[in-house]
Amino acid sequence: MGNTTEEHTLDELNSEIKRKLFAPLIYLLLLAVIGIPGNLFVFIIFRTYKRNVYRTLILNIAIIDFSFCLIGIPFNIFRILYYYTFKVTLVCQILAGMLDFGIMYSTHLLMLMAVHRYRQIFMPLKSQITTENVKYFIAASLIIGIALATPQIAVLQPLEKVQFQNNITGSICAVTWKDSPYYWKVYNFFLSGLFVTYAIVLFLFTVESEGKSLFDVFGVPNKDHRPVKESRMMYQIE
């Protein structure tokens, strides 16, 4: 009788949290509706393109995004529908780790694309990423993604327990900061610092692509600064 009352109460709590998270639930459904056919169109359209670095990177990003639509979105929807009754720790950690991997891998692919375009525009006479060596850069991005996502699976942080009245306990599959081990917080600080570093690098790429320096951006006078030449060497994106 006690177990029945507990399950009934947790079901009621799940219903309440589903009402609160209705907007994110609809957003996830829209992502799936748009993302699945959208990535399929990317596969169909870009397969007809001439083989080049840009095409290879876009197809790899589309594969990750398509996988997220098929695995990540249903997983997050399930977490919302069974918010307080998620029971299987291993499923939570493995799927959360897979999502982390997708984020890390796609992030490094996007950085690789930014570096490729930057070098083609500003360093056209130096060695470039080509259709022959791009697979090695993609493999490196894959390895980095696996390495950065592994702690999410290896640590197997337990499900967060939530205590309610009448000695009712719910379990949540969530990345929690409270009561996390010290090394887990260090890991998250490291990832945050990594993304901030990448954002700064992309910002600097954007500034230079506009023909400006940091002195121009922040309005600092610099008599030694020489403006970037307006004329650029013509290039072809591969």
Side-chain angles (χ1 to χ4, degrees):
M1 184 68 178
N3 291 336
T4 303
T5 303
E6 178 177 342
E7 290 299 328
H8 177 68
T9 306
L10 286 176
D11 288 339
E12 291 178 346
L13 291 169
N14 277 336
S15 298
E16 182 180 350
I17 200 69
K18 278 187 286 188
R19 287 193 293 270
K20 292 180 179 179
L21 297 177
F22 181 74
L25 186 61
I26 296 300
Y27 174 70
L28 288 171
L29 291 172
L30 288 175
L31 285 182
V33 170
I34 297 173
I36 292 175
N39 283 290
L40 287 176
F41 281 131
V42 171
F43 294 143
I44 294 171
I45 293 172
F46 273 83
R47 281 180 63 86
T48 63
Y49 278 38
K50 178 184 176 182
R51 184 170 176 266
N52 54 51
V53 174
Y54 178 72
R55 170 185 177 271
T56 302
L57 294 176
I58 287 294
L59 287 176
N60 276 271
I61 293 172
I63 290 172
I64 291 297
D65 195 44
F66 186 67
S67 300
F68 174 78
C69 292
L70 293 181
I71 300 174
I73 291 178
F75 169 60
N76 283 313
I77 291 175
F78 187 85
R79 288 202 293 180
I80 293 176
L81 296 179
Y82 299 93
Y83 195 84
Y84 290 118
T85 53
F86 204 107
K87 301 293 186 181
V88 186
T89 302
L90 192 62
V91 172
C92 175
Q93 294 306 123
I94 289 178
L95 290 180
M98 291 175 63
L99 295 183
D100 281 356
F101 161 74
I103 294 172
M104 304 301 172
Y105 181 42
S106 59
T107 297
H108 286 85
L109 288 178
L110 290 172
M111 287 299 300
L112 181 60
M113 185 182 298
V115 171
H116 171 59
R117 288 188 163 186
Y118 176 83
R119 290 183 64 84
Q120 282 196 318
I121 297 172
F122 294 98
M123 304 176 182
L125 301 181
K126 294 187 177 181
S127 60
Q128 303 290 330
I129 301 174
T130 66
T131 54
E132 286 73 26
N133 62 23
V134 68
K135 58 186 177 183
Y136 300 112
F137 291 98
I138 292 175
S141 299
L142 180 67
I143 293 172
I144 293 173
I146 294 174
L148 293 178
T150 298
Q152 177 73 32
I153 301 175
V155 171
L156 287 177
Q157 184 177 352
L159 298 172
E160 181 184 1
K161 299 297 181 181
V162 182
Q163 194 69 37
F164 299 101
Q165 296 178 350
N166 300 325
N167 294 323
I168 296 174
T169 303
S171 56
I172 302 176
C173 174
V175 179
T176 60
W177 185 263
K178 187 178 74 171
D179 299 328
S180 296
Y182 172 75
Y183 55 79
W184 188 259
K185 295 180 180 180
V186 172
Y187 167 71
N188 281 279
F189 270 123
F190 169 74
L191 292 183
S192 299
L194 188 64
F195 280 113
V196 169
T197 301
Y198 288 163
I200 293 174
V201 171
L202 292 177
F203 172 73
L204 294 177
F205 282 176
T206 304
V207 168
E208 187 163 356
S209 68
E210 295 294 329
K212 299 177 181 179
S213 71
L214 291 180
F215 296 100
D216 299 323
V217 173
F218 295 107
V220 178
N222 180 26
K223 62 181 180 180
D224 296 327
H225 170 60
R226 296 180 181 179
V228 179
K229 293 181 180 180
E230 294 183 359
S231 60
R232 302 288 189 190
M233 180 178 292
M234 297 300 293
Y235 69 95
Q236 180 180 359
I237 295 180
E238 293 187 353

